[in-house]
C-alpha cells in the first residue's frame, strides 16, 4: 500500500479511480482534485475541489469556473495564485475545445450550428454582448466583431453602426448573435424592434440580415426559425 493510500480514504484517491474506471467515473470534485494535484496540511486535494464547487454556488459545478477570477479562487484557503491560474486555464481549454468542435459543423444557413458555435463564447457572460458576423458571398466569415456591451438585461444597438461596418467590409451577408445572461433566450420587445430596424436598413443596402440568434443557457432562439425576420 502506498503512502497516499495510508493517509487518505479510498474516496480520496481520484487518480487511482481514474486508472481503474476511467475519467467518466470521476465526480466534478475528483476531476478538480487531479488538476490541483496537492492539498494542504489540513485539506486533501478533493476537499479543495469541493470548496471550489461550493464557491460556484448555483452556477452548476464546473461551469462556475468561467465566472471566477484569480483573486476569487485565492479566497479559498489552500489555493494560491498558481493553482488558481491552473483552474482558470482548464476552464479556458474546455471552452476552446467546445468552440473548435462547433466550428467544424458551422453552417450559417443552419441556426442550430451557429448557436452551438457561439454558445460557449457567450453563455457565461454576466452582461449582454452583441456580436456582428459579416460574411462573403460564399457565406464564409469575413469578420466577427463585438460591437456593444450592455448591462445584465440590455444591449445598446445602433442599426447605423452595424450597416456602416457591413458596407466597409464589403460584406454580402450579416448575422447577429447576442446573449441573455438570465439564461432565457426568448427575445424581448426591444430585441424584436431593433432587429426589425436593422433588417429594414440591411435590405436597403442589399446586405441581407440572415438571422439574429439569442444565446441562453444551453438554449437559443433564432429569429429566422421563429419567423421574426
Amino acid at each position: 500500500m502506498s503512502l497516499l493510500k495510508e493517509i487518505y480514504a479510498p474516496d480520496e484517491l481520484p487518480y487511482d479511480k481514474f486508472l481503474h474506471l476511467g475519467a467518466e467515473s470521476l465526480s466534478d470534485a475528483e476531476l478538480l482534485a487531479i488538476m490541483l494535484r496537492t492539498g494542504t496540511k489540513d485539506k486533501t486535494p478533493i476537499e479543495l475541489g469541493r470548496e471550489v464547487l461550493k464557491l460556484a454556488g448555483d452556477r452548476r459545478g464546473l461551469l462556475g469556473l468561467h465566472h471566477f477570477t484569480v483573486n476569487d479562487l485565492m479566497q479559498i484557503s489552500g489555493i494560491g495564485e498558481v493553482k488558481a491560474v491552473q483552474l482558470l486555464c482548464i476552464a479556458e481549454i474546455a471552452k476552446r475545445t467546445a468552440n473548435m468542435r462547433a466550428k467544424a459543423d458551422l453552417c450559417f444557413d443552419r441556426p442550430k450550428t451557429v448557436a452551438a458555435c457561439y454558445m460557449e463564447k457567450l453563455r457565461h457572460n454576466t452582461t449582454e454582448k452583441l456580436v456582428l458576423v459579416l460574411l462573403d458571398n460564399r457565406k464564409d466569415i469575413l469578420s466577427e466583431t463585438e460591437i456593444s456591451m450592455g448591462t445584465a438585461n440590455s444591449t445598446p444597438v445602433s442599426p447605423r453602426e452595424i450597416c456602416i461596418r457591413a458596407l466597409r467590409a464589403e460584406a454580402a451577408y450579416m448575422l447577429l448573435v447576442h446573449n441573455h445572461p438570465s439564461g432565457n433566450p426568448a427575445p424581448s420587445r426591444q430585441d424584436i424592434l431593433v432587429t426589425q430596424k436593422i433588417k429594414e436598413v440591411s435590405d436597403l443596402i442589399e446586405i441581407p440580415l440572415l438571422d439574429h440568434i439569442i444565446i441562453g443557457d444551453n438554449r437559443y432562439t433564432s429569429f429566422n426559425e421563429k419567423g421574426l425576420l
Side-chain angles (χ1 to χ4, degrees):
M1 182 178 293
S2 70
L3 178 59
L4 189 63
K5 290 182 179 179
E6 291 175 357
I7 296 174
Y8 299 136
D11 66 344
E12 300 286 88
L13 294 169
Y15 189 87
D16 285 356
K17 186 176 178 180
F18 172 91
L19 292 177
H20 286 95
L21 300 175
E24 64 276 6
S25 71
L26 301 177
S27 67
D28 288 351
E30 290 169 333
L31 287 169
L32 289 176
I34 289 178
M35 297 298 101
L36 292 168
R37 296 182 61 192
T38 59
T40 67
K41 181 177 65 176
D42 302 316
K43 299 175 188 175
T44 65
I46 199 168
E47 286 172 335
L48 282 179
R50 288 169 183 153
E51 290 200 26
V52 171
L53 295 174
K54 184 178 179 181
L55 182 64
D58 61 359
R59 289 172 176 161
R60 294 179 312 284
L62 292 174
L63 290 178
L65 286 173
H66 292 282
H67 299 271
F68 295 148
T69 65
V70 169
N71 287 335
D72 290 334
L73 291 170
M74 287 175 63
Q75 300 307 306
I76 298 173
S77 176
I79 293 185
E81 185 176 74
V82 172
K83 280 186 168 62
V85 169
Q86 288 174 334
L87 290 173
L88 295 182
C89 285
I90 291 164
E92 183 62 24
I93 288 170
K95 182 170 71 174
R96 294 188 189 189
T97 300
N99 288 339
M100 288 175 66
R101 288 174 178 170
K103 279 187 174 180
D105 298 323
L106 180 59
C107 172
F108 286 99
D109 288 323
R110 295 168 54 205
K112 183 177 180 179
T113 70
V114 178
C117 182
Y118 290 92
M119 186 67 67
E120 292 304 312
K121 290 183 180 180
L122 294 175
R123 71 177 176 133
H124 303 294
N125 292 313
T126 56
T127 59
E128 287 196 14
K129 294 185 178 181
L130 177 69
V131 177
L132 170 64
V133 184
L134 298 177
L135 310 173
D136 63 19
N137 56 14
R138 295 177 299 178
K139 295 184 180 177
D140 292 328
I141 294 179
L142 285 173
S143 67
E144 177 186 281
T145 310
E146 185 180 299
I147 62 169
S148 65
M149 181 182 296
T151 63
N153 55 17
S154 67
T155 301
V157 181
S158 167
R160 179 175 180 273
E161 178 187 356
I162 286 173
C163 291
I164 287 174
R165 286 178 180 270
L167 286 168
R168 285 176 176 170
E170 298 183 356
Y173 304 94
M174 67 174 80
L175 184 140
L176 299 172
V177 186
H178 91 273
N179 65 304
H180 278 180
S182 67
N184 181 358
S188 66
R189 184 172 180 274
Q190 182 185 18
D191 290 334
I192 294 171
L193 290 175
V194 170
T195 303
Q196 289 173 344
K197 288 180 182 178
I198 294 170
K199 184 180 187 307
E200 289 172 6
V201 180
S202 70
D203 286 345
L204 285 174
I205 62 174
E206 299 182 340
I207 304 177
L209 175 64
L210 293 180
D211 206 346
H212 182 177
I213 293 176
I214 302 176
I215 300 296
D217 187 7
N218 264 332
R219 297 179 289 164
Y220 75 94
T221 293
S222 160
F223 276 58
N224 198 359
E225 288 182 338
K226 295 292 184 181
L228 296 173
L229 283 182

